[in-house]
Amino acid sequence: IAVEKLTGQTFEDYSFKVSYILDMDAAPPLPATRNRRGGRTSREQDSQPGTSAGSLGPRQKQPDFPLRMLVPTQFVGAIIGKEGLTIKNITKQTQSKVDIHRKENAGAAEKPITIHSTPEGCSAACRMIMDIMQKEADDTKVTEDIPLKILAHNSLVGRLIGKEGRNLKKIEEETETKITISSLQDLTIYNPERTIIVKGSIEACCRAEVEIMRKLREAYENDIAAINQQTNLIPGLSLSALGIFSTGLSVLPPAAGPRGVPPLPPTGYNPFLQAPEQEVVYLFIPTQAVGAIIGKKGQHIKQLARFAGASIKIAPAESPDATQRMVIITGPPEAQFKAQGRIFGKLKEENFFSAKEEVKLETHIKVPSSAAGRVIGKGGKTVNELQNLTSAEVIVPRDQTPDENDEVFVKISGHFFASQTAQRKIREIIQQVKQQEQKHQQGAPVTHRSK
């Protein structure tokens, strides 16, 4: 808009001609807007880091996954260089866009750096930054090796670690490094990143960076693919909507917002406009996972309830040797989506399931007994279609005695998106049954009927 409005404006007999170029000379200057009405603008081309004007190549197909580093604050000046020459040299040589977040965390001992480029470009920029820091450390007579610190979203870290830590051990052995990961206790709703600390020679650290980022990128792309497969089944759900997740299910890279700043919910997001009423869902989790969901002194479950806007309670164990515990979630549909998403994500992060295995949980929802037949359908047709559509297992147990509210349970088993889609579809059926009953009652004549 600024380019459009400024181009052609006059000031003191001069006419402005405005064009848009990448920051820090990261790529050759892009031309001004080719078609001011319907054509592709240079700003749109700028959204492809590491590509020159008119060349969008294969990078366009891959989701941008930046490398996020933490560097000691005392080295930031050396990385930028006099008049920004050093950082400009890094961006030119590696064809990357490097953002140093100097204003974040005022007074902190470390500052985050975000590098946007191809995997090779990110690694090359990382190597140059590590070399600069080591030289600065040598000049100031710092004897210790400078560790490489990579920031990674918590939802991806479990798959980097692998079952029983196998992935991480393999990377350590192959690269001759020592790798540690910051504690889960350091996470908050507003800071979903963990710090991966790699110690060793610069050469070894850079080899480890390649392997770590490969694992993280693979996990991220798998999440994107899974969401793309499922979003069409849940009305109103989009990648931007998922940006409201800070941990657990989130698949958006943390570079989308400054570290420590809460993500903003997308404007106008309400995928469940049709059913604003409170819902109760009974989610069954492994007994050994209860501590992780509750958190130290109940902090995690309190944060989760506040974030989702739902009531979350864990029911007492039915027996001392029970393998599952029931989590009762009460809230409107959007709160249900957020709360269940966080719980699924938390279980995956904590390695209660293997890296390749989807987190599949059993969920119970109550339906009016009058609607149970509609959920099943004639000869089981509806429930079979529901299972084929959502990839969830849906069971309406027979011979149930309705409760005091004339409701019965429907059991749903599957991964998060399958379970969510099944829940939404079943609630749609319930709404249809209720609407038909209301129409029938309104249209019925007020007369005495004999049998």
Side-chain angles (χ1 to χ4, degrees):
I1 291 169
V3 169
E4 290 252 341
K5 289 190 179 296
L6 285 169
T7 300
Q9 290 290 325
T10 56
F11 178 73
E12 294 181 356
D13 298 326
Y14 288 92
S15 179
F16 286 116
K17 182 182 177 185
V18 185
S19 60
Y20 188 86
I21 62 171
L22 285 170
D23 291 341
M24 308 297 276
D25 296 328
L30 299 173
T33 309
R34 290 208 309 264
N35 180 342
R36 296 176 70 187
R37 293 290 171 222
R40 188 174 190 82
T41 66
S42 54
R43 179 182 290 273
E44 289 171 323
Q45 291 180 7
D46 178 44
S47 67
Q48 299 296 324
T51 59
S52 59
S55 171
L56 293 176
R59 285 272 298 143
Q60 189 180 22
K61 297 176 184 177
Q62 293 298 322
D64 177 37
F65 188 78
L67 167 62
R68 296 262 292 162
M69 298 173 64
L70 264 186
V71 302
T73 301
Q74 71 261 33
F75 297 144
V76 168
I79 294 166
I80 295 170
K82 192 176 181 181
E83 297 178 351
L85 288 175
T86 307
I87 195 78
K88 285 181 181 180
N89 185 44
I90 294 171
T91 59
K92 276 184 178 178
Q93 286 197 33
T94 64
Q95 280 293 290
S96 59
K97 185 175 185 293
V98 182
D99 294 321
I100 300 178
H101 308 288
R102 284 178 287 174
K103 294 180 181 178
E104 287 182 32
N105 304 336
E110 295 173 310
K111 298 290 182 185
I113 293 179
T114 305
I115 304 168
H116 291 269
S117 186
T118 61
E120 296 77 20
C122 287
S123 295
C126 174
R127 175 61 187 258
M128 291 181 76
I129 290 170
M130 290 293 290
D131 283 338
I132 291 164
M133 289 196 295
Q134 191 60 59
K135 183 178 183 302
E136 190 71 10
D138 293 342
D139 291 347
T140 54
K141 296 182 180 178
V142 175
T143 54
E144 294 178 6
D145 285 336
I146 306 297
L148 168 63
K149 294 189 177 182
I150 297 172
L151 293 170
H153 198 285
N154 189 41
S155 63
L156 307 175
V157 169
R159 282 166 283 179
L160 167 67
I161 296 169
K163 197 169 186 180
E164 297 174 354
R166 287 174 196 158
N167 290 346
L168 215 54
K169 286 174 188 171
K170 187 180 178 187
I171 294 172
E172 284 182 318
E173 288 168 4
E174 289 178 352
T175 62
E176 298 178 335
T177 55
K178 175 65 179 171
I179 303 173
T180 54
I181 297 177
S182 63
S183 168
L184 280 165
Q185 302 296 330
D186 298 337
L187 293 176
T188 66
I189 281 177
Y190 301 135
N191 173 27
E193 292 177 296
R194 291 171 76 179
T195 306
I196 302 160
I197 303 156
V198 186
K199 292 184 178 179
S201 66
I202 289 181
E203 192 67 43
C205 286
C206 290
R207 287 200 306 270
E209 179 272 331
V210 171
E211 295 305 314
I212 289 167
M213 287 300 290
R214 186 174 62 80
K215 281 286 180 190
L216 294 174
R217 197 175 285 109
E218 185 182 279
Y220 174 64
E221 288 172 359
N222 287 343
D223 284 351
I224 289 284
I227 284 172
N228 285 337
Q229 287 173 3
Q230 296 294 336
T231 48
N232 63 322
L233 296 177
I234 304 177
L237 181 66
S238 64
L239 287 181
S240 62
L242 285 176
I244 56 179
F245 293 106
S246 309
T247 61
L249 266 201
S250 177
V251 295
L252 299 181
R259 196 161 186 257
V261 176
L264 295 174
T267 307
Y269 169 58
N270 187 355
F272 312 116
L273 203 56
Q274 299 298 317
E277 76 276 1
Q278 296 282 301
E279 297 176 348
V280 181
V281 172
Y282 305 87
L283 186 65
F284 291 83
I285 64 171
T287 299
Q288 66 266 34
V290 170
I293 298 298
I294 294 173
K296 194 175 182 180
K297 296 182 180 178
Q299 285 304 306
H300 184 265
I301 199 167
K302 286 175 187 174
Q303 278 187 337
L304 175 53
R306 281 198 300 270
F307 167 78
S311 163
I312 303 172
K313 296 178 181 176
I314 297 180
E318 291 183 357
S319 65
D321 56 348
T323 58
Q324 289 187 316
R325 289 281 290 277
M326 184 167 70
V327 181
I328 305 165
I329 308 170
T330 307
E334 190 174 335
Q336 283 288 355
F337 186 93
K338 289 156 79 173
Q340 290 181 56
R342 275 289 184 84
I343 292 170
F344 272 78
K346 183 71 172 172
L347 296 182
K348 193 160 192 174
E349 289 159 23
E350 296 286 347
N351 290 319
F352 287 107
F353 299 82
S354 69
K356 292 183 179 178
E357 186 183 356
E358 282 287 356
V359 179
K360 293 186 177 181
L361 298 178
E362 185 175 310
T363 307
H364 293 184
I365 63 174
K366 286 184 175 181
V367 305
S369 58
S370 58
R374 286 284 294 276
V375 174
I376 297 169
K378 192 172 182 180
K381 183 182 178 184
T382 305
V383 79
N384 287 338
E385 286 177 351
L386 196 58
Q387 292 183 132
N388 290 336
L389 173 69
T390 65
S391 303
E393 184 182 3
V394 181
I395 300 170
V396 185
R398 296 185 181 277
D399 304 323
Q400 283 190 77
T401 303
D403 63 13
E404 66 277 8
N405 297 318
D406 198 29
E407 292 180 323
V408 294
F409 278 113
V410 174
K411 297 180 180 180
I412 301 160
S413 181
H415 61 75
F416 174 70
F417 283 106
S419 178
Q420 280 296 316
T421 312
Q423 289 176 47
R424 291 298 118 217
K425 293 294 179 186
I426 290 168
R427 292 195 188 278
E428 279 178 23
I429 294 171
I430 296 168
Q431 286 297 108
Q432 289 169 5
V433 170
K434 285 181 178 177
Q435 286 169 5
Q436 287 172 357
E437 287 177 348
Q438 286 172 358
K439 283 181 182 177
H440 181 72
Q441 288 170 359
Q442 289 168 0
V446 186
T447 56
H448 176 73
R449 287 184 179 181
S450 59
K451 289 187 179 178

